[in-house]
Amino acid sequence: QPSLFFCDMVQRFTDELRLAVGDQWERVINHKFTKELAAGTIDRNALKKYLIQDHRFLDAFLILLSSMVANARSLSDRIPGCQFIGVIAGKENTYFERCFEKLGCADDKERAKIPDAACTEGFINLMKDAAANGSLGEKLAVLVVCEWSYLSWGQLVQNSTNRDSFETYEWVDLHSGEYFESVVAYLRGLLDKEGELIDAAGKKACLK
């Protein structure tokens, strides 16, 4: 039927955004670091540095996710986001704390002496700016990039992940599997819906 065929041919807004970044997406999900992390062969000092920096995103990410939930268009759009907030503040934050203990950097004051990497500072500023000033579409665009890229990497390695050390395999587990797939589907669905409602300027803003 022509109408069904046409619907199948319509590209999702989130796919348009992913394609717009070109090869950068593939470089992120196929990075040497992520492969070594899944294999369990990653240098533990490199892992420690990475986790210290990544943990600093957590506060800004929760601010952004909470802002998106507050600005969502309905209760049904909010509930999965609220549930994901609980996972980030609970299971994921606990993972970081256990890793810091295992890797010898559990002291908050000692970790605080380590300066933010330039990319850390830039990404924190991006998330906080989107939370404070961005439209719902812009908030979702940042969240989708974060979580969809993690999922894309996690799906590539989940079946071959070395399970000897929790500090490596649990990071894969947090970013793969049925639940995390549902989170990314939820965020993409909301952003696709925004893509149908916003004008060309709003869509362009989502690419920033």
Side-chain angles (χ1 to χ4, degrees), residues 61 65 68 80-81 83-85 87-88 140 143-144 147-148 151 174 177-190:
F61 185 85
L65 182 56
M68 183 282 290
Q83 293 168 335
F84 188 42
I85 287 171
V87 173
I88 297 295
L140 283 163
L143 291 168
V144 166
E147 303 308 272
W148 193 11
L151 175 63
L174 284 166
E178 185 176 346
Y179 174 69
F180 195 62
E181 289 172 4
S182 75
V183 169
V184 173
Y186 155 72
L187 293 172
R188 287 190 65 192
L190 291 184

Side-chain angles (χ1 to χ4, degrees), residues 13 17 73 134-144 190-191 194-195 198 202 205-206:
F13 181 48
L17 295 177
R73 295 180 180 271
S135 66
L136 178 57
E138 290 172 87
K139 298 176 199 297
L140 283 163
V142 178
L143 291 168
V144 166
L190 291 184
L191 185 51
E194 286 303 298
I198 58 182
C206 292

Side-chain angles (χ1 to χ4, degrees), residues 100-156:
F100 292 152
E101 185 71 35
K102 176 77 176 292
L103 296 170
C105 54
D107 190 314
D108 292 348
K109 292 180 179 178
E110 288 300 312
R111 290 200 311 275
K113 294 177 183 178
I114 301 170
D116 288 344
C119 60
T120 302
E121 184 177 356
F123 207 37
I124 287 172
N125 290 339
L126 172 66
M127 288 190 283
K128 287 186 175 180
D129 181 65
N133 305 307
S135 66
L136 178 57
E138 290 172 87
K139 298 176 199 297
L140 283 163
V142 178
L143 291 168
V144 166
V145 168
C146 291
E147 303 308 272
W148 193 11
S149 60
Y150 269 127
L151 175 63
S152 297
W153 159 72
Q155 288 176 324
L156 287 175

